[in-house]
Amino acid sequence: MADFAAEDKPAATPAAAGAEASSSRMVNLVSQEGEAFNVTLALASMSDLVKTMVDEEQDEDEAQEIPLPNVKSAVLAKILEFCRHMAEEPMQEVEKPLKSTNMHEIVQPWYADYVDVEQDMLFELIFAANYMDIKPLLELTCATVASMIKGKTPEEIRTTFNIVNDFSPEEEAQIREENKWREEA
């Protein structure tokens, strides 16, 4: 009986070979504090910033270090949690304008629970998602902030985000007068 296995297999395409290599190749994402997170290149490449920093010539047996000086360790761990889940269950697109202030009505339950964090962490995630250029995470976190603002008065927004009103009563009255048309809409 002849062995046809070698002849019957289609040749690997360059794209398929590259995808296979990126799924097994490892990189070390190094946080602001110097903590290294060893992840697959495929997972790390969800960040457009990381994708541009990868050295294609790097030996596959050696994990390349990619410094992320603007991202704290706790935030990077949370981002990698997002990326791992995103690889398994892609997030549905966020409808704009937001139809609700409840994130469970906007995105899948896991994603709504993911952004149910303290405000400090939420804003750290926004900054890091923007810096690392992870569009789905940036969209999710910004939608969360938008849902916190939706339907609130300026005073309620200031309270929610601990913003000090630095307008004098006269300046505030002038701004309200200039923007009266917005309240009528």
Side-chain angles (χ1 to χ4, degrees), residues 65-150:
E65 283 203 355
I66 299 175
L68 298 170
N70 296 343
V71 185
K72 295 176 183 170
S73 292
V75 176
L76 186 52
K78 187 88 171 145
I79 288 171
L80 293 174
E81 176 188 355
F82 173 88
C83 292
R84 284 184 189 98
H85 190 81
M86 182 84 174
E88 297 296 318
E89 178 194 7
M91 185 179 75
Q92 64 195 32
E93 192 170 326
V94 175
E95 268 186 58
K96 296 168 205 84
L98 296 181
K99 60 185 176 186
S100 172
T101 59
N102 181 351
M103 289 303 291
H104 282 90
E105 295 175 15
I106 298 170
V107 293
Q108 297 104 304
W110 187 92
Y111 293 100
D113 292 339
Y114 175 85
V115 289
D116 186 13
V117 294
E118 296 290 325
Q119 273 188 31
D120 288 346
M121 176 57 87
L122 180 61
F123 285 106
E124 290 278 348
L125 286 168
I126 289 172
F127 296 140
N130 186 48
Y131 169 70
M132 293 178 68
D133 201 1
I134 304 174
K135 289 173 184 57
L137 179 56
L138 185 60
E139 182 178 32
L140 175 64
T141 51
C142 287
T144 302
V145 172
S147 74
M148 295 166 76
I149 293 171
K150 186 176 176 66

